[in-house]
Amino acid sequence: MPDPYEEFKEQPGDDPDDVLFNTSYGVRTIQLNRPKKYNALNGSMIRKIIPRLQEYQKSSLASVIIIGGAGPKAFCAGGDVSALASSITQHGDAGRADAKYYFGLEYKLDHLIATYPKPYIAYLDGITMGGGVGLSVHAPIRIATENTVFAMPETGIGFFPDVGGSFFLPRLEGQLGTYLALTSSTLKGVQALYAGVATHYIDSSVLANLTARLGELVFKDYSDLRSRLLTISRTIEEFNTGLPPSSPPILAGDLRAAIDRCFSPSTVEDIISALERERSSPHASQQTKDWAAATLATLAEKSPTSLKVTLRQMRLGATWDTRDAFRREYHLAAKFMAHPDFVAGVSARLLHKPPTRPQWEPSALEAVSAEDVEAFFRIEEGEEGLQLLTQGRDYERYPFEHILGLPREEHVEEVVRSGGLKRSRGEVVGQMVEGKEGQIGVREKVEEVLDRRCEVDEEGKLVWRG
């Protein structure tokens, strides 16, 4: 009988210190430890983390798992795609096979995190991109700091937003996920909280004290995961030092409405047409016109193949559960390894100094047909599927999104409309802040939604538009 843990055993060349593990009472910490490489994730690190998570899952002494990154700049800046592209260039099919093996390992880890039965917390303290997103966004508790820089930059390197991006991004509010996926736009600091990428925001200076405090928590044996997460959430708020000054939601108001409007079409060409209309609309604000122009310029730099495949991924991913997402992404990754844009994009953007503009094949959107796109999603007969590590814990919506993080727009709508009673702005904001026990950022998020989606009648009560 084959050893199920064989693929996670140390291999020649693995760095023994690229991940550090520590214990503090009930807390188990995982620290990515490649600061000179911005903690870029590689196979050696994955082979260490998976067995530890499985060990912690079985241990009655391990109550809370926290993952973070070493150094002042990054949580994890992504997977080590430079090494993968170099291997493909040097070794051809053998390099592509190695890359497929790496993505299989990575997605197994990400799925394990997404379905983990114990409290798992990610400290997004620094650059959080690509592979770092996979290690964090599926955690029920995701803490942003003033150092957070979140992005999914894959369309700029001839790839697609993987690591469960098929699941996470379409479930952000409105068309934010599609916008972030296609443009690779960044969210900095508290903006990651407002967008739903993070569930909490605290200053980085208190992370060490928070870790120590979490180690002091004692849970009843019969406490379920939901109650444990709520206890942890309240504990995090003990370290609330307030929002940074002058930090209202940026993807808000007319700009947020324009994002939802422009990124809702089902083709990239229609998205570009919508942006062109926005740029020249006499009714649009100058801020929105400038944003549309900048977004058009950004999209023009991306891989046409990546853009079209990614948009299709966002639409299909909205219907996938977590198991579907990672298994389908495994096939997508293999298709991209066989496509010239991945090596071209990584070589030009990451390996070449200074970075240059990639030569995409094909170089124009109109040259990427619908059949070309569908071929990326077609699973060929006999093609090996990804064998995930956990069974029976998959879901179609994040199970704790309604109790952790800021209230979603649909929750604000429910309060405004509930019971057929009209409410004032102050009543709605007060109810939602109280319901979230005063969590940082709730007031700002609710007020932004009300500004954008509600009108006020002659009695001073809110009326939801649409």
Side-chain angles (χ1 to χ4, degrees), residues 125-142:
D125 186 33
I127 300 170
T128 304
M129 299 183 183
V133 173
L135 297 175
S136 58
V137 295
H138 308 295
I141 294 180
R142 310 174 296 277

Side-chain angles (χ1 to χ4, degrees), residues 6 23 36 56 60 140 146-147 164 185 190 221 265 269 277 279 284 344 382 386 396 416 431 434:
E6 183 66 32
T23 296
K36 293 182 179 179
Y56 298 157
S60 61
E146 76 281 4
N147 301 319
S185 294
V190 74
D221 291 342
E269 290 88 347
R277 289 193 299 272
R279 180 180 58 183
L386 181 64
E396 295 181 353
V416 172
Q431 179 177 335
E434 182 181 0

Side-chain angles (χ1 to χ4, degrees), residues 67-89:
I67 189 166
K73 295 183 178 180
F75 163 58
C76 174
D80 200 347
V81 293
S82 297
L84 301 181
S86 296
S87 179
I88 292 171
T89 300

Side-chain angles (χ1 to χ4, degrees), residues 177-346:
T178 300
Y179 169 66
L180 294 172
L182 294 181
T183 65
S184 308
S185 294
T186 59
L187 297 171
K188 296 182 178 180
V190 74
Q191 300 304 323
L193 174 69
Y194 292 138
V197 170
T199 57
H200 297 77
Y201 177 89
I202 61 175
D203 193 272
S204 62
S205 62
V206 300
L207 285 175
N209 290 338
L210 171 62
T211 300
R213 175 73 178 92
L214 292 173
E216 298 172 356
L217 297 180
V218 177
F219 301 109
K220 302 290 186 183
D221 291 342
Y222 54 79
S223 296
D224 61 11
L225 182 56
R226 181 183 186 277
S227 65
R228 294 181 184 215
L229 290 171
L230 282 172
T231 298
I232 292 169
S233 181
R234 296 185 188 108
T235 303
I236 294 170
E237 289 302 310
E238 295 176 11
F239 294 83
N240 171 6
T241 57
L243 292 171
S246 303
S247 58
I250 292 176
L251 302 181
D254 291 344
L255 176 56
R256 167 59 195 282
I259 289 172
D260 288 352
R261 194 163 51 242
C262 293
F263 283 84
S264 62
S266 57
T267 69
V268 177
E269 290 88 347
D270 286 346
I271 288 174
I272 288 174
S273 294
L275 287 165
E276 289 172 341
R277 289 193 299 272
E278 202 75 34
R279 180 180 58 183
S280 59
S281 171
H283 306 294
S285 67
Q286 191 59 50
Q287 178 199 26
T288 302
K289 290 180 179 180
D290 292 345
W291 166 82
T295 302
L296 285 166
T298 295
L299 293 176
E301 298 178 349
K302 307 300 184 184
S303 158
T305 299
S306 291
L307 287 176
K308 288 200 168 185
V309 172
T310 295
L311 181 58
R312 183 66 175 148
Q313 172 202 4
M314 292 298 100
R315 301 302 182 246
L316 290 173
T319 69
W320 293 343
D321 67 10
T322 43
R323 180 177 179 82
D324 293 332
F326 288 105
R327 287 172 61 85
R328 295 299 292 267
E329 286 182 8
Y330 179 65
H331 294 289
L332 278 171
K335 298 286 178 67
F336 270 101
M337 292 306 98
H339 193 279
D341 277 5
F342 176 72
V343 170
V346 173

Side-chain angles (χ1 to χ4, degrees), residues 90-142:
Q90 294 174 20
H91 305 296
D93 287 345
R96 279 184 277 274
D98 287 344
K100 185 177 180 181
Y101 166 76
Y102 166 78
F103 287 119
L105 274 183
E106 183 180 25
Y107 301 166
K108 287 179 181 181
L109 171 56
D110 295 339
H111 180 262
L112 177 62
I113 291 168
T115 56
Y116 204 65
K118 289 189 174 183
Y120 176 99
I121 303 170
Y123 289 170
L124 283 66
D125 186 33
I127 300 170
T128 304
M129 299 183 183
V133 173
L135 297 175
S136 58
V137 295
H138 308 295
I141 294 180
R142 310 174 296 277

